[in-house]
Amino acid sequence: AGISTAAGIPDFRGPKGIWTLEEQAKKKEKKASKRRKLYGRTDADSNVATGGGTTGKPNFSFIDAKPTYTHRALAHLVSHTPPGEEEDGRRFLHYVITQNVDGLHRKTPDLPRSSLSILHGCVLTEKCEVCSREYIRDFEVDSIAEQPTGRYCTLGGTPPGTCGGLLRDTLLDWEGALPEKDWIRAQEECARAELIIALGTSLRIEPCNHLSMYATRGYEKDTVIDRPERDTRVDGAASGGRIPRRKQQLGCVIVNLQQTLFDQSAELVINGRVDDVMRGLMERLGYGVDSWDTASA
């Protein structure tokens, strides 16, 4: 969530994060409650201590939020070769995986859906239960846990427009299973990666946090990929087997303001803001800080 804070969307554990502010509000209320018991103060009197009765949740809009510098930089790295190396066609970044539900990656030009795994769903996306076509809305889908939204598929089917399948939200609840296609692809790409960069995440949410270690030498986690629609696994690995990785494994780089559970296993840890780090990285890679960025013009 840390890559979206510059867009006005709060993270969870940062200084202004949702859970941080809620915990602060709870502590203030607890202190205010003690004062009321000791001195007989009324709820109205305690508003000063509790911040005017605030819940600690900041106001923000998923609709109005725009992709940050980091969103745009990641998309550019996926879609463009470094200047002067167009003939080689190489790219530094091959795939993006997100746990964010804010839809900012989907709003980012140059980042195709085929280069993105969305593991926890998106507040702006509906999906057809028949043909799996996704619809990106300009309003927040007001349901969770893959519930019917009351709308129907108007573009899918053969010929196009004949599907008529029921649309459902894509947001996961705590008990929901990860979307199979995106989860499988995320594991495959991380297993093939030479280097994995974790940006703006505390790496606490299971099982996605372990993806950051897939390029780390000596990492022995078995990666079981259940792919019922196919008989083969990535690179021919058998069901339940370990996915073959690239010979060169450079490990993981973590960029986050706070410490994470995987810091000791990372090759490099940068405790900083992701936009600042990405600006420096884009310059060092030869793209320039913002000469490529049409949004900054």
Side-chain angles (χ1 to χ4, degrees), residues 126-190:
E126 295 176 284
K127 185 176 181 179
C128 177
E129 68 176 10
V130 176
C131 70
S132 297
R133 189 180 187 97
E134 293 181 338
Y135 292 78
I136 310 302
R137 302 303 192 187
D138 58 0
F139 54 85
E140 294 183 25
V141 180
D142 57 355
S143 61
I144 192 172
E146 300 179 322
Q147 297 300 307
T149 64
R151 289 173 285 271
Y152 295 87
C153 182
T154 58
L155 300 176
T158 305
T162 61
C163 176
L166 186 65
L167 299 184
R168 295 178 179 270
D169 73 80
T170 61
L171 285 175
L172 297 188
D173 59 15
W174 286 108
E175 291 77 28
L178 295 175
E180 182 182 63
K181 183 178 179 181
D182 285 69
W183 176 233
I184 289 173
R185 183 74 188 281
Q187 294 175 83
E188 292 177 351
E189 294 296 332
C190 287

Side-chain angles (χ1 to χ4, degrees), residues 33-112:
S33 178
K34 288 182 178 179
R35 292 192 185 99
R36 288 195 293 269
K37 291 179 180 179
L38 288 172
Y39 304 114
R41 297 175 64 177
T42 65
D43 289 340
D45 294 332
S46 68
N47 275 348
V48 173
T50 61
T54 179
T55 62
K57 293 183 179 180
N59 295 319
F60 61 92
S61 169
F62 288 116
I63 304 301
D64 298 333
K66 293 180 173 53
T68 67
Y69 181 90
T70 296
H71 288 95
R72 301 191 300 272
L74 293 175
H76 195 79
L77 288 171
V78 166
S79 301
H80 296 81
T81 59
E85 300 185 24
E86 288 80 6
E87 291 186 3
D88 295 337
R90 70 170 179 146
R91 301 225 188 340
F92 288 113
L93 183 63
H94 297 275
Y95 204 72
V96 175
I97 301 167
T98 184
Q99 298 176 98
N100 294 350
V101 302
D102 51 40
L104 291 182
H105 284 297
R106 299 303 305 271
K107 292 181 180 181
T108 308
D110 293 336
L111 182 60

Side-chain angles (χ1 to χ4, degrees), residues 191 214 218-225 233-245:
Y214 275 35
Y219 185 66
E220 296 298 329
K221 180 178 176 61
D222 285 335
T223 305
V224 179
I225 293 189
R233 305 301 185 268
V234 57
D235 295 334
S239 177
R242 189 174 289 116
I243 301 175
R245 297 176 173 82

Side-chain angles (χ1 to χ4, degrees), residues 253-292:
V253 173
I254 297 174
V255 182
N256 197 49
L257 282 174
Q258 293 81 34
Q259 293 181 335
T260 80
L261 299 175
F262 292 85
D263 283 2
Q264 292 185 343
S265 300
E267 292 295 320
L268 175 65
V269 176
I270 302 175
N271 294 126
R273 298 187 182 280
V274 289
D275 278 359
D276 296 337
V277 174
M278 289 303 297
R279 285 188 173 92
L281 179 63
M282 294 299 284
E283 184 174 22
R284 290 293 297 270
L285 292 179
Y287 291 93
V289 175
D290 54 17
S291 58
W292 53 270

